[in-house]
Amino acid sequence: MAVQYTQVQQWFEQYKQTVAKSLRDTSKPWTKVLNIVEERTGVDRVNIFFGASALCAVYLMFGGLAQLLCNVIGVMYPAYISIHAIESSTKQDDTKWLTYWVTFGIFTVIEFYSGILTHIIPFYWLLKCVFLIWCMLPTEQNGSTIIYHKLVRPYFLKHHQSVDKLIDDGMKKATNVLKHD
């Protein structure tokens, strides 16, 4: 049991160091705000981050506007970083954020058609927010990458020709209808 506890401690310390490094990265949009908050409060930015995360988690469980907060978290940062990716000269960040948006879009469609889940699953908005954060983590194997390569891509490769044919046929029929008017 002590070995497992030590492993968890080591993992948490590594995670904390990764978070601290990211929170001090001058290329990130939050660094300036955290510099000011840390300076004014005297509280380390890692503690500020974990405290804010805990408050967000509690609000996502019990707050009246939990759905709004979840969607702001799932859209605002990815949208901002996606604009940076579009403006950068590399393709790697474009692919990363397109993968996120594909995953986000599929999840949104599934959520729309199974909207009752939001009322049945306890703490749904917290779970969704954790899922979206997992999908946008700044790692090579984040949630959107795993979902894309394990689920979306194989399904797409298997069915894209049939879907393309349906779309082409639909476009031809629409064009013919529009030409005859």
Side-chain angles (χ1 to χ4, degrees), residues 27 29 78-90 93-94 97:
S27 69
Y80 178 78
I81 296 302
S82 294
I83 293 168
H84 275 283
I86 291 167
E87 296 300 322
S88 76
S89 59
T90 64
D93 54 357
D94 297 357
W97 288 104

Side-chain angles (χ1 to χ4, degrees), residues 98-109:
L98 278 171
T99 304
Y100 173 81
W101 289 114
V102 166
T103 305
F104 180 87
I106 291 169
F107 182 81
T108 302
V109 170

Side-chain angles (χ1 to χ4, degrees), residues 21 29 40 42 49 52 71 77 80 95 101 103 107 109 120 138 143 145 160 166 181:
K21 183 180 176 184
R40 289 188 181 167
F49 170 77
N71 289 326
Y77 176 72
Y80 178 78
T95 302
W101 289 114
T103 305
F107 182 81
V109 170
I120 294 174
T145 303
H160 79 91
L166 281 171
D181 283 344

Side-chain angles (χ1 to χ4, degrees), residues 84-147:
H84 275 283
I86 291 167
E87 296 300 322
S88 76
S89 59
T90 64
K91 182 184 180 297
Q92 185 179 7
D93 54 357
D94 297 357
T95 302
K96 176 184 176 177
W97 288 104
L98 278 171
T99 304
Y100 173 81
W101 289 114
V102 166
T103 305
F104 180 87
I106 291 169
F107 182 81
T108 302
V109 170
I110 291 169
E111 182 183 50
F112 176 79
Y113 285 105
S114 58
I116 193 147
L117 294 177
T118 64
H119 302 292
I120 294 174
I121 298 173
F123 309 125
Y124 176 81
W125 300 112
L126 174 63
L127 295 172
K128 177 183 176 181
C129 193
V130 168
F131 171 77
L132 293 175
I133 291 169
W134 175 60
C135 287
M136 69 174 91
L137 283 176
T139 61
E140 289 294 318
Q141 289 296 309
N142 64 21
S144 57
T145 303
I146 291 168
I147 290 168

